[in-house]
Amino acid sequence: MTTSQAGHCLECPCTSEDVLDGLTVNYTPRGWTGCNDFVLQVLNNDACHAETYKGGLRCCEHGEYCLERSALPENGPISTFYLRYTITYSELRPENRALRLAACCDATGDLDRHGNIEYDVPQCDDPVNNPEECIYELTTVQMLHSVGNNGAFGVLPGDKEGGGTSVDVVYTVGHMHRGGIEIEIADEETGEVICLSKPTYGKDQDVVGKEKDYIVSMSTCTFNPPRKMRTSDLVRVTARYDSTKPHTGVMSLFYIAAADPVDDMAVGLNVLGAALTTEAGVIEETSTSESLKIAFVSIGLIAICVLAVKKFGRKDGYSRIEAVNVTV
């Protein structure tokens, strides 16, 4: 497989073998109600309609081809790939506080819909002569944590009375795909930018973790002391993609980690073994940013997988992965 073919496959394109009949994909029922009105009606994004769906999660399941059979070599070798995870942790202490994810944010959603998870970036009109105008932007307003609109997240306490629940936001990070420029979250009432998360692209062709032209990391925002918010607060999410080339199945998500609030004046705040400064003093410990970053790489991957399973369902023939013992 060539580098170009591999890049094409990573965007999960549908092929002629995929069957989309308007209601199902490969005979599995799918939901098509996640896109907000702007993405659905104004942009008329292909990923929001079964009739125009070209690629993404729905065409990216076990046993499916990402290239047409005519593009595959006859009797080609079978490749097996493995993933290796490194988990770093610190010992649990009484002052540690549990982190939970807010039910926000997806740039394809709004106040009533948690989002479609994915969307397409069409190529701009003149990428050769006017590349500076080739920016595909989505913006929407969502609640920090909406009861009943939880997606894969929904692990913060909710408040059905409408006033929201107080939380301490300590960490945010964006999630984008190739072509991503930046994703921003701001306070809708004040306009204050809460976090601007930008991708770093690899520059080496054959170095693992630094793959050329692929996103290898996203910048993060850590709040020290924690940012005081309510689950009912409205936030604006804005995502921008480079549209000099078309992309299918991209994502523009924000992961927001929060903890139950405590009296900052009375106790030192400590999250995942990472000290936070308060007026009561400073606890010396490992880097807040690094500790949260390690935890959120795992949390983010799990959240995407769970959200995809919840929205798209489990395909016939799938079996759950059984738990195994891990020695560290």
Side-chain angles (χ1 to χ4, degrees), residues 205-224:
Q205 191 66 50
D206 300 314
V207 179
V208 176
K210 297 182 179 180
E211 293 83 355
K212 182 176 174 59
D213 299 329
Y214 288 92
I215 294 177
V216 296
S217 67
M218 294 289 297
S219 63
T220 65
C221 298
T222 303
F223 303 95
N224 182 7

Side-chain angles (χ1 to χ4, degrees), residues 165-237:
T165 300
S166 295
V167 293
D168 284 347
V169 174
V170 298
Y171 183 85
T172 60
V173 60
H175 173 86
M176 305 189 83
H177 290 192
R178 187 170 55 162
I181 297 174
E182 62 186 17
I183 182 169
E184 172 187 290
I185 185 171
D187 186 308
E188 174 64 2
E189 182 178 358
T190 66
E192 176 191 0
V193 175
I194 298 173
C195 183
L196 176 63
S197 186
K198 293 187 174 185
T200 296
Y201 285 85
K203 298 180 179 179
D204 298 308
Q205 191 66 50
D206 300 314
V207 179
V208 176
K210 297 182 179 180
E211 293 83 355
K212 182 176 174 59
D213 299 329
Y214 288 92
I215 294 177
V216 296
S217 67
M218 294 289 297
S219 63
T220 65
C221 298
T222 303
F223 303 95
N224 182 7
R227 182 184 179 92
K228 299 294 185 181
M229 298 187 71
R230 299 191 69 81
T231 55
S232 57
D233 287 347
L234 299 183
V235 294
R236 178 171 291 277
V237 181

Side-chain angles (χ1 to χ4, degrees), residues 11-69:
E11 296 192 349
C12 299
C14 302
T15 69
S16 59
E17 297 191 21
D18 291 303
V19 180
L20 290 82
D21 62 9
L23 295 176
T24 68
V25 177
N26 296 321
Y27 309 108
T28 301
R30 303 301 192 189
W32 299 95
T33 60
C35 292
N36 62 40
D37 290 341
F38 179 75
V39 180
L40 181 65
Q41 299 174 9
V42 179
L43 296 179
N44 196 28
N45 196 270
D46 288 346
C48 299
H49 310 275
E51 298 80 4
T52 56
Y53 192 77
K54 295 182 177 65
L57 290 171
R58 296 169 171 92
C59 287
C60 200
E61 296 191 343
H62 178 67
E64 295 183 30
Y65 287 93
C66 61
L67 297 173
E68 296 291 347
R69 285 182 184 267

